Amino acid sequence: DIDLISDWLESNFDTGLVTSVLGESLLPKLLASSDSKDWKKAVRLVTAATKIKWVDKRGYSDRKEPKAASKDYWLQKLFEKNSKQLGQKCGLEVAEALAARLEEIFQKEQSDDDLSYIWRPAIEDSPQNTRDDDIKNVLVTALRDVLAETAKVNLEAVNSKVKRFLESRRVLFKRMAFFLMNALYDSMGHLFWEKLSPEFFKSYKWQHEVFRLVKDRFPKFKSEQQAKLLDVLESLQGEWKDGKDQSLWD
């Protein structure tokens, strides 16, 4: 019973074993089914396992930090094993649930979004990412992998999701959009050109993903696209303390 599992995960008992069983046995069984009702149960399981608890932050008497209802480590293992099938069977629903969990964290701690480039330097797997198994990083990696898999079976829907991410006020979601446009450039690169704007290049907060996209895909750009990009870059203007130096530095 999904509700019983949800209640157990919210209890004060150790949830590591429960999450391990979910990831290794129950979730794969549901996703292997041909019955869409079982896929909906899988979404409910993911929603329950990623429920956020706010606990006292170690070393601080007046601060809270987010933790998953399940153990972060076992939640990471759950997604490592099941993200592919989650993406192909119920990817949009799971992506919505994961994005909602991140939004929940950002609403309570705005700095977690503003500073996402610090706690998650790269959306892709990278040695720069030093805390892969804390809840925020687990959610980011799962959202990334689930959407990449969903694009294989429902590209149009993922394109729409990426467009919304680009227009989002959330730094992390913008970064996710740039990452996906790069990773899936052959099927999603057109979005980069449809939305291309000087704003892409004005913030250091998503600079890594934009730089990687341009660097990785520049050889694939058509000559007119390369020219368009160079025009945008040459139009950039910084805000300088001394106005008379602005044209020089630009």
Side-chain angles (χ1 to χ4, degrees):
D1 184 273
I2 306 297
D3 292 329
L4 183 61
I5 293 172
S6 181
D7 290 342
W8 182 274
L9 289 171
E10 292 185 47
S11 72
N12 292 323
F13 296 105
D14 188 335
T15 60
L17 180 60
V18 177
T19 311
S20 175
V21 172
L22 293 182
E24 292 293 327
S25 178
L26 182 54
L27 197 52
K29 182 178 180 180
L30 291 172
L31 293 170
S33 170
S34 58
D35 189 343
S36 62
K37 292 180 181 178
D38 287 332
W39 305 347
K40 290 179 180 179
K41 291 178 183 177
V43 176
R44 290 177 61 196
L45 278 180
V46 169
T47 302
T50 57
K51 185 167 184 178
I52 304 298
K53 293 181 177 181
W54 291 91
V55 302
D56 292 335
K57 187 176 179 66
R58 184 178 299 177
Y60 295 85
S61 60
D62 60 345
R63 293 189 62 183
K64 301 283 188 180
E65 64 179 349
K67 294 287 184 181
S70 50
K71 293 290 186 180
D72 293 350
Y73 171 81
W74 289 109
L75 188 62
Q76 179 189 30
K77 295 302 179 185
L78 179 150
F79 285 117
E80 285 178 357
K81 183 176 180 63
N82 296 286
S83 284
K84 181 175 182 178
Q85 287 300 311
L86 284 169
Q88 294 183 7
K89 298 293 179 64
C90 45
L92 291 177
E93 294 89 346
V94 171
E96 286 292 338
L98 297 172
R101 292 303 188 208
L102 285 164
E103 178 63 28
E104 180 181 348
I105 293 172
F106 298 155
Q107 285 185 4
K108 192 172 181 68
E109 292 288 347
Q110 173 66 36
S111 62
D112 279 344
D113 180 45
D114 291 337
L115 301 177
S116 69
Y117 64 95
I118 293 178
W119 57 262
R120 180 70 182 223
I123 298 296
E124 74 272 14
D125 292 334
S126 168
Q128 297 178 72
N129 301 331
T130 57
R131 297 186 61 197
D132 287 347
D133 63 348
D134 80 335
I135 180 57
K136 291 180 295 186
N137 277 294
V138 170
L139 291 171
V140 170
T141 300
L143 179 60
R144 177 198 73 191
D145 293 347
V146 166
L147 283 174
E149 288 297 330
T150 306
K152 297 176 181 179
V153 295
N154 195 345
L155 179 62
E156 183 177 354
V158 176
N159 276 335
S160 296
K161 172 73 72 176
V162 169
K163 287 181 182 179
R164 291 197 297 274
F165 278 177
L166 272 178
E167 296 165 358
S168 171
R169 65 191 179 97
R170 295 300 184 194
V171 173
L172 190 283
F173 294 151
K174 287 182 184 292
R175 294 177 62 205
M176 183 68 68
F178 287 122
F179 168 84
L180 289 168
M181 286 189 292
N182 183 14
L184 305 174
Y185 185 79
D186 288 343
S187 55
M188 205 173 285
H190 64 94
L191 296 178
F192 178 78
W193 299 106
E194 289 174 14
K195 301 294 183 179
L196 180 62
S197 159
E199 298 304 316
F200 283 12
F201 305 94
K202 287 185 176 180
S203 177
Y204 58 87
K205 294 179 180 179
W206 49 79
Q207 178 179 334
H208 173 80
E209 282 71 34
V210 175
F211 175 79
R212 282 292 301 269
L213 190 159
V214 172
K215 176 178 177 289
D216 292 349
R217 304 303 175 180
F218 195 82
K220 285 195 169 188
F221 295 170
K222 299 175 182 177
S223 58
E224 59 268 28
Q225 291 173 330
Q226 293 179 352
K228 182 178 180 180
L229 176 61
L230 292 174
D231 285 344
V232 170
L233 294 175
E234 289 175 354
S235 73
L236 294 176
Q237 292 185 336
E239 296 180 2
W240 309 106
K241 185 175 181 180
D242 191 339
K244 65 182 175 58
D245 291 333
Q246 179 161 333
S247 62
L248 174 65
W249 289 108
D250 287 340

